[in-house]
Amino acid sequence: MPRLTFIASQGTSRTVDARIGDSAMQTALAHGIDGITAECGGAMACATCHVHVADKWADRVGPAEDTEADMLEFAASTVTPTSRLSCQITVTEELDGLVLHLPDTQI
Ligand code: FES
């Protein structure tokens, strides 16, 4: 089972089990990770699931596609080249060990 690590803006981290096929956002909500609000439930309509993919994982996760990038413009915190909407990151075996940094705010 893949494991994902979420690192809060203050530096605290949690590593949790993730189900293949779930999104990183669903994984965060299932484990009560603070910092992922996900107001739209994964419909790519809120940008409150914004995360920064750790640099060493950026190539494997890939960049946001155009529609996702458009929605990221509504993110409450700074968007960087490794910004993604976590509802658009699908957990796979290849993402075992993925590290995602949470922004300081989602609202
Ligand atoms: S949960 Fe709303 S855009 Fe990801």
Side-chain angles (χ1 to χ4, degrees):
M1 179 175 278
R3 291 172 63 78
L4 307 187
T5 296
F6 294 89
I7 301 178
S9 59
Q10 343 47 320
T12 56
S13 78
R14 280 186 60 199
T15 300
V16 298
D17 291 334
R19 292 191 310 194
I20 291 172
D22 278 0
S23 68
M25 175 275 282
Q26 290 171 313
T27 303
L29 292 186
H31 293 280
I33 301 290
D34 287 336
I36 298 289
T37 306
E39 289 177 355
C40 78
M44 205 160 56
C46 72
T48 62
C49 65
H50 177 202
V51 293
H52 302 279
V53 177
D55 288 342
K56 72 175 187 176
W57 285 95
D59 286 346
R60 194 171 306 181
V61 174
E65 295 185 2
D66 289 350
T67 307
E68 182 182 344
D70 289 346
M71 184 52 59
L72 275 166
E73 293 180 13
F74 295 95
S77 57
T78 304
V79 174
T80 69
T82 64
S83 285
R84 292 292 311 268
L85 296 176
S86 58
C87 67
Q88 301 304 305
I89 299 172
T90 301
V91 175
T92 63
E93 201 62 62
E94 290 71 33
L95 292 185
D96 181 30
L98 174 64
V99 177
L100 299 172
H101 295 271
L102 300 164
D104 54 357
T105 184
Q106 295 282 19
I107 53 174

